[in-house]
Amino acid sequence: MAGGINTMDQIAFITGADRGLGLALAARLLGKGWIVFAGQYMPAWPDLAALQAQYPACLHLIPLDVASEESVQAAAKLVAEKTDRVDLLINNAGVLSAADQRGVREPRDFDDMLRVYNVNTLGPLRVVDAFFPLMESSAMKRLCFVSSEAGSINRCWRKGLYGYCMSKTALNMGVSILFNRLRPQGYTFRLYHPGWMRSYMNGVKNPEADLEPEEAAIPAVAYFLRERGGSPQTLSRHDDNRLVLRDYLGQEWPW
């Protein structure tokens, strides 16, 4: 197979892999022997290139802007030139906006809210559609989506972040529809809240959060790769025939 990839390799594609959780997920999968195609939005950011220097044969950098249909299709074409399948697709790319913090008596930036929605909600759907032909030839067919507790309507406590919260709720609905259509075809799903991370969602690293991305990647990869449990105690938790939103502690979140 082209690029040194063979039929025994396990192959992942990750969006938003430049930094934060996406970079940490790539590093952890590479450490487990996976071939990783990493969606790169910021080529000037050095961390992903540094990781590639550690894994030159296993890490492939793919230009990707999930907000652009043209970019997503071009990314899928590049990956298809190197492999005939993707086993694990991780939709990780996400943004939020400082303007989204404005109160009800302040003018809203609706254009910026649409930008957040375009990345967080429509982006994963674009990626799934574009990579579907590569997923079809996989025996694993695992679709993973990094969502957030912010998308839970039942447990909503915020008084702001309209665009971000609404985008994650809409993402959850989109994944639910995908689940209904694709689960009967052998696809398995992981919808995941990774915890409050020291990430770059606002453009700069948030030092006040609970988890470093490298810490958050450990339970995330464990859950993304976990097979369905077989004992009565674990069957409901890992039943792939039921879509759940689960967090980094293993807890299920209400919709």
Coordinates of all heavy atoms in Angstrom, one line a residue, residues 6-8 34 49 54 70 77 84 90 97 112 117 132-133 142-143 148 155 175 200 206 214 238 249:
N6 N 0.3 -0.7 5.6 CA -0.1 -2.1 5.2 C -1.4 -2.4 5.8 O -2.0 -1.7 6.6 CB 1.0 -3.1 5.6 CG 1.3 -3.1 7.1 OD1 0.4 -3.4 7.9 ND2 2.5 -2.9 7.5
T7 N -1.9 -3.6 5.5 CA -3.2 -4.0 5.9 C -3.4 -4.3 7.4 O -4.5 -4.4 7.9 CB -3.6 -5.3 5.1 OG1 -2.6 -6.3 5.3 CG2 -3.7 -5.0 3.6
M8 N -2.3 -4.5 8.1 CA -2.3 -4.7 9.5 C -2.3 -3.5 10.3 O -2.6 -3.5 11.5 CB -1.1 -5.6 9.9 CG -1.1 -7.0 9.2 SD -2.5 -8.0 9.6 CE -2.3 -8.2 11.3
W34 N -0.5 3.4 16.2 CA -1.4 3.7 15.2 C -0.7 4.6 14.1 O 0.2 5.3 14.4 CB -2.6 4.5 15.7 CG -3.6 3.6 16.4 CD1 -3.5 2.9 17.6 CD2 -5.0 3.4 16.0 NE1 -4.6 2.2 17.9 CE2 -5.6 2.5 16.9 CE3 -5.7 3.9 14.9 CZ2 -6.9 2.1 16.8 CZ3 -7.0 3.5 14.8 CH2 -7.6 2.6 15.7
A49 N 4.4 19.7 13.9 CA 5.6 19.3 13.1 C 6.6 18.7 14.0 O 7.3 17.7 13.6 CB 6.2 20.6 12.5
Q54 N 9.1 13.1 15.5 CA 9.3 11.9 16.4 C 8.7 10.6 15.7 O 9.2 9.5 16.0 CB 8.6 12.1 17.7 CG 9.1 13.2 18.6 CD 8.3 13.4 19.9 OE1 7.9 12.4 20.5 NE2 7.9 14.6 20.2
E70 N -14.6 22.8 0.6 CA -13.5 22.5 -0.3 C -12.3 21.9 0.4 O -11.7 21.0 -0.1 CB -13.1 23.8 -1.0 CG -12.0 23.7 -2.0 CD -11.7 25.0 -2.7 OE1 -12.2 26.1 -2.3 OE2 -10.8 25.0 -3.6
K77 N -9.3 13.6 0.0 CA -8.6 13.1 -1.2 C -7.1 12.8 -0.9 O -6.6 11.8 -1.4 CB -8.7 14.2 -2.3 CG -8.1 13.8 -3.7 CD -8.3 14.8 -4.7 CE -7.6 14.4 -6.0 NZ -7.8 15.5 -7.1
D84 N -6.4 3.1 1.8 CA -7.7 2.8 1.3 C -8.7 2.8 2.4 O -9.9 2.4 2.1 CB -7.7 1.5 0.5 CG -7.3 0.3 1.4 OD1 -7.0 0.5 2.6 OD2 -7.2 -0.8 0.9
I90 N -11.9 10.9 14.4 CA -12.1 11.7 15.6 C -12.4 13.1 15.2 O -11.5 13.8 14.8 CB -10.9 11.6 16.6 CG1 -10.6 10.1 17.0 CG2 -11.2 12.4 17.8 CD1 -9.4 10.0 17.9
S97 N -16.1 31.7 21.3 CA -15.8 33.1 21.0 C -16.0 34.0 22.3 O -17.0 33.8 23.0 CB -16.8 33.6 19.9 OG -16.8 35.0 19.8
D112 N -20.4 36.0 14.4 CA -19.4 35.2 15.1 C -20.1 33.9 15.6 O -19.5 32.8 15.7 CB -18.8 36.0 16.2 CG -17.5 35.4 16.6 OD1 -16.6 35.1 15.7 OD2 -17.2 35.2 17.8
Y117 N -20.9 27.9 15.1 CA -21.8 26.8 14.7 C -21.2 26.1 13.4 O -21.3 24.9 13.3 CB -23.2 27.4 14.4 CG -24.2 26.4 14.0 CD1 -25.0 25.8 15.0 CD2 -24.5 26.0 12.7 CE1 -26.0 24.8 14.6 CE2 -25.4 25.1 12.3 CZ -26.2 24.5 13.3 OH -27.1 23.6 13.0
F132 N -16.5 9.1 4.5 CA -17.4 8.0 4.5 C -16.8 6.8 3.6 O -16.8 5.7 4.0 CB -18.8 8.3 4.1 CG -19.8 7.2 4.3 CD1 -20.2 6.9 5.6 CD2 -20.3 6.5 3.2 CE1 -21.1 5.8 5.8 CE2 -21.2 5.5 3.4 CZ -21.6 5.2 4.7
P133 N -16.4 7.2 2.3 CA -15.8 6.1 1.5 C -14.7 5.4 2.1 O -14.5 4.1 2.0 CB -15.4 6.8 0.2 CG -16.3 8.0 0.2 CD -16.4 8.4 1.6
R142 N -15.3 3.2 13.5 CA -15.6 4.0 14.8 C -15.6 5.5 14.5 O -14.6 6.1 14.1 CB -14.5 3.6 15.8 CG -14.6 4.3 17.1 CD -15.8 3.8 18.0 NE -16.0 2.4 18.1 CZ -15.3 1.6 18.9 NH1 -14.4 2.1 19.7 NH2 -15.6 0.3 18.9
L143 N -16.7 6.1 14.8 CA -16.9 7.5 14.7 C -16.9 8.2 16.1 O -17.8 7.8 16.9 CB -18.2 7.8 13.9 CG -18.3 7.4 12.5 CD1 -19.7 7.6 11.9 CD2 -17.2 8.1 11.6
S148 N -19.5 18.3 24.5 CA -19.3 19.0 25.8 C -20.5 18.9 26.6 O -21.6 18.8 26.1 CB -19.0 20.5 25.5 OG -19.0 21.3 26.7
R155 N -29.1 19.8 32.0 CA -28.2 20.3 33.1 C -27.6 21.6 32.8 O -26.5 22.0 33.3 CB -27.1 19.2 33.3 CG -27.7 18.0 33.9 CD -26.7 16.9 34.2 NE -25.6 17.3 35.1 CZ -24.7 16.5 35.6 NH1 -24.6 15.2 35.2 NH2 -23.8 16.9 36.4
V175 N -25.2 13.9 15.6 CA -24.6 12.6 15.8 C -25.7 11.6 16.0 O -25.6 10.4 15.6 CB -23.7 12.6 17.0 CG1 -23.2 11.2 17.4 CG2 -22.5 13.6 16.7
Y200 N -6.8 25.9 24.1 CA -6.7 27.2 23.4 C -8.0 27.6 22.7 O -8.0 28.3 21.7 CB -5.6 27.1 22.3 CG -4.2 26.9 22.8 CD1 -3.8 25.6 23.1 CD2 -3.3 27.9 23.0 CE1 -2.6 25.3 23.6 CE2 -2.1 27.7 23.5 CZ -1.7 26.4 23.8 OH -0.4 26.1 24.2
N206 N -5.9 28.4 28.4 CA -6.7 28.7 29.7 C -6.0 28.1 30.8 O -6.1 26.9 31.0 CB -8.1 28.2 29.5 CG -8.9 28.4 30.8 OD1 -8.5 29.1 31.7 ND2 -10.0 27.7 30.9
E214 N -2.8 16.6 27.8 CA -2.2 15.3 27.8 C -2.9 14.4 28.8 O -3.0 13.2 28.7 CB -0.7 15.4 28.2 CG 0.1 16.1 27.1 CD -0.1 17.6 27.1 OE1 -0.7 18.2 28.0 OE2 0.3 18.3 26.1
H238 N -21.4 0.0 27.9 CA -20.6 -0.1 26.7 C -21.5 -0.6 25.5 O -20.9 -1.0 24.5 CB -19.4 -1.0 26.9 CG -18.5 -0.5 28.0 ND1 -18.1 0.7 28.1 CD2 -18.1 -1.2 29.1 CE1 -17.3 0.9 29.2 NE2 -17.3 -0.3 29.8
L249 N -14.9 10.9 33.2 CA -15.0 10.1 34.4 C -15.8 8.8 34.2 O -16.1 8.0 35.1 CB -15.6 10.9 35.6 CG -14.8 12.1 36.0 CD1 -15.6 12.9 37.1 CD2 -13.4 11.6 36.6

